[in-house]
């Protein structure tokens, strides 16, 4: 494919048409900037009528799929970032859980010591009340003895 020269003397560029009527058909156009001479020549022959129907449908389908891929990729990036955030939160919760389990073990030990102290206190009160009852009984017997002995 050799380069073509326009009637105005400039080199012509080879472009591709993306219109529904001439989809994929290549053409030469003058590369003059500003005041274009509007020189235009088809490079490829016209496409058949069947291709004019099929190709635009395929392109629309391809664009729709590309848009869906872009949406899914964006969703994937968003979910990956959310996953990283949730993993960090989970790590924080695991650390908090370890701390709370240690605190729970400490409180259970304190609770065990408190129960033991209450149990000992109850035993001491029981034995103290038993010995005071013993002294009261002894005092009553003594008083009865004194009373009987006096009369």
């Amino acid at each position: 494919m050799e380069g073509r020269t326009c009637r105005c003397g400039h080199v012509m560029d080879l472009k591709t048409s993306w219109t529904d009527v001439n989809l994929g058909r290549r053409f030469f156009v003058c590369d003059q900037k500003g005041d274009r001479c509007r020189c235009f020549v088809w490079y490829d022959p016209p496409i058949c009528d069947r291709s004019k129907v099929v190709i635009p449908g395929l392109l629309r389908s391809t664009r729709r799929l590309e848009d869906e891929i872009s949406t899914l990729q964006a969703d994937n990036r968003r979910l990956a970032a959310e996953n990283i955030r949730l993993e960090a939160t989970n790590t924080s919760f695991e650390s908090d859980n370890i701390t709370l389990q240690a605190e729970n073990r400490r409180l259970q030990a304190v609770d065990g010591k408190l129960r033991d102290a209450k149990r000992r206190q109850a035993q001491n009160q029981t034995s103290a009340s038993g010995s005071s009852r013993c002294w009261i009984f002894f005092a009553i017997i003594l008083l009865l003895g004194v009373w009987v002995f006096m009369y």
Side-chain angles (χ1 to χ4, degrees):
M1 170 173 56
E2 69 282 343
R4 291 204 175 182
T5 306
C6 178
R7 61 179 173 241
C8 68
H10 285 90
V11 176
M12 297 180 80
D13 292 331
L14 184 63
K15 306 275 185 173
T16 302
S17 170
W18 293 108
T19 64
D20 285 346
V21 177
N22 291 299
L23 195 57
R25 191 172 174 196
R26 294 176 296 174
F27 60 94
F28 285 105
V29 65
C30 180
D31 72 349
Q32 180 181 351
K33 307 293 183 221
D35 287 335
R36 276 194 129 150
C37 73
R38 305 219 185 259
C39 186
F40 169 91
V41 178
W42 285 111
Y43 176 78
D44 292 329
I47 58 175
C48 68
D49 290 339
R50 174 83 176 125
S51 295
K52 289 178 184 178
V53 173
V54 171
I55 292 175
L58 292 173
L59 280 176
R60 280 190 299 275
S61 183
T62 300
R63 285 184 198 122
R64 182 183 51 78
L65 291 172
E66 287 171 346
D67 289 345
E68 188 174 337
I69 287 170
S70 294
T71 301
L72 292 172
Q73 286 173 336
D75 288 347
N76 192 34
R77 285 188 299 273
R78 181 184 54 77
L79 290 172
E82 180 71 6
N83 189 41
I84 289 169
R85 187 188 68 76
L86 289 174
E87 284 176 351
T89 302
N90 187 41
T91 301
S92 174
F93 285 154
E94 286 173 350
S95 174
D96 290 348
N97 188 33
I98 290 168
T99 303
L100 290 173
Q101 285 174 347
E103 182 66 13
N104 188 32
R105 285 190 297 274
R106 188 189 69 76
L107 290 174
Q108 285 174 345
V110 169
D111 185 53
K113 290 177 183 178
L114 183 60
R115 287 175 192 254
D116 289 345
K118 285 182 178 181
R119 191 176 320 109
R120 283 192 304 273
Q121 182 183 15
Q123 288 172 348
N124 290 340
Q125 286 175 350
T126 303
S127 64
S129 68
S131 66
S132 45
R133 274 188 249 140
C134 196
W135 283 107
I136 292 171
F137 181 71
F138 177 72
I140 291 173
I141 296 291
L142 186 63
L143 285 175
L144 278 175
V146 169
W147 182 70
V148 168
F149 186 69
M150 290 172 91
Y151 294 107

